[in-house]
Each structure stands twice: as structure tokens, then as C-alpha cells.
Amino acid sequence: MSDVEKASAEEEIDAETERLIYKITEGIQRLNSIGTVQFIQIILAPIPEPFDEELKNTFTSAIQDGLFVNNTIVLEQMESGDSFMRVLNAIRRIFQISKAITIEEIQVLINIDYKGEPMDIIVTYDPQEHDISLVSVSQKEDFFKILEYVTFFWLKSRPRI
């Protein structure tokens, strides 16, 4: 895609959609307050065939722009400090290709420090409600304590107006 095509594609995003894209990205970034985000899975609504092929061609690497697999875009997070822009650009590209915010849910693998030990948890972020749910923990017997832990850090990370 040439610079002219990129500029015209970016112009297609109206201000309201850009705010929504930014709000979703901000919600995903808030998950870093809980622990270290390892992987992000952006699960898309069913997409028509021509868009499906374009998503496959656009999202080819989980480490860079995202990898499109089975109606899901996978982003592997790195400690490079560019995660906000990578997520923001991925969501923008989804919109530019499908002409709609087609995200059903976002699942995130987070490594937390719980009782002095590292633990992986899976959290679901709902972009419509801008809220999270704890899906899975490795220590099942502590699920509700970990839920309180996650909820505390999620609420603490809420932007102040």
C-alpha cells in the first residue's frame, strides 16, 4: 500500500470511530496494571470471504502486526514499549478492512505475581462494556481470591476525569 493509499484509508475513519478504537486500545492497555500481558487474542465476528482473505494477507506475524488465524488476530506482547501503538494500529486495520468494529471479545493471557509466585491467568475484555472477566487461573482453589486481586488492579487503573 502506497503512502497515498494509507492516507486515504486513514481518512475513512471518522472521529467517533477513532474514539471507540482508542477506548478499546486503552482498555486493553489497562490490563498491564494487573500483570505482564503475554498474548492478546482479538476474536472477530464472522467476516465475509473477501475481508477474510485481506485479513490473512495483512496480519501475518504475531510478533509484529498480529497474526490472523481462525477469525482471531493474535498479538504477542513484547517489553519494547510499543504495545499501545501495535494494538491501536491492529484495531484500526481491522476497521479499515472490514469497514466496521467487528470485535466480539478480546482474550488476554497475563502473567501476575500472586503470593510471590508467577501465575498465568486468562482475562476476557468486553469492548462493548469496557469491562473484564476472569476466565481461567492455574490455581483453581484460589479463583475467587485471584478475581478480587484482578478486579482491584483493574478498577485502580481506571482513568480519572
Side-chain angles (χ1 to χ4, degrees), residues 24-98:
I24 292 169
T25 305
E26 183 181 59
I28 295 169
Q29 285 303 113
R30 285 178 59 198
L31 294 170
N32 285 310
S33 69
I34 298 169
T36 305
V37 173
Q38 302 291 315
F39 290 94
I40 299 170
Q41 290 185 319
I42 302 172
I43 302 167
L44 305 175
I47 297 173
E49 190 67 36
F51 298 134
D52 188 57
E53 194 60 39
E54 191 171 347
L55 287 168
K56 285 179 188 173
N57 294 332
T58 301
F59 295 100
T60 59
S61 171
I63 295 176
Q64 293 175 344
D65 302 325
L67 178 65
F68 182 74
V69 179
N70 296 330
N71 232 33
T72 301
I73 295 173
V74 178
L75 284 163
E76 182 177 341
Q77 292 298 89
M78 299 178 293
E79 299 289 330
S80 61
D82 68 344
S83 64
F84 183 85
M85 290 308 296
R86 287 175 60 227
V87 172
L88 182 68
N89 289 333
I91 295 172
R92 276 185 186 146
R93 275 190 241 113
I94 292 167
F95 178 80
Q96 290 168 341
I97 291 169
S98 64

Side-chain angles (χ1 to χ4, degrees), residues 118-137:
M119 175 190 302
D120 288 333
I121 62 171
I122 298 174
V123 174
T124 298
Y125 172 72
D126 181 348
Q128 280 79 30
E129 298 295 323
H130 299 288
D131 201 9
I132 62 169
S133 300
L134 183 61
V135 176
S136 177
V137 299

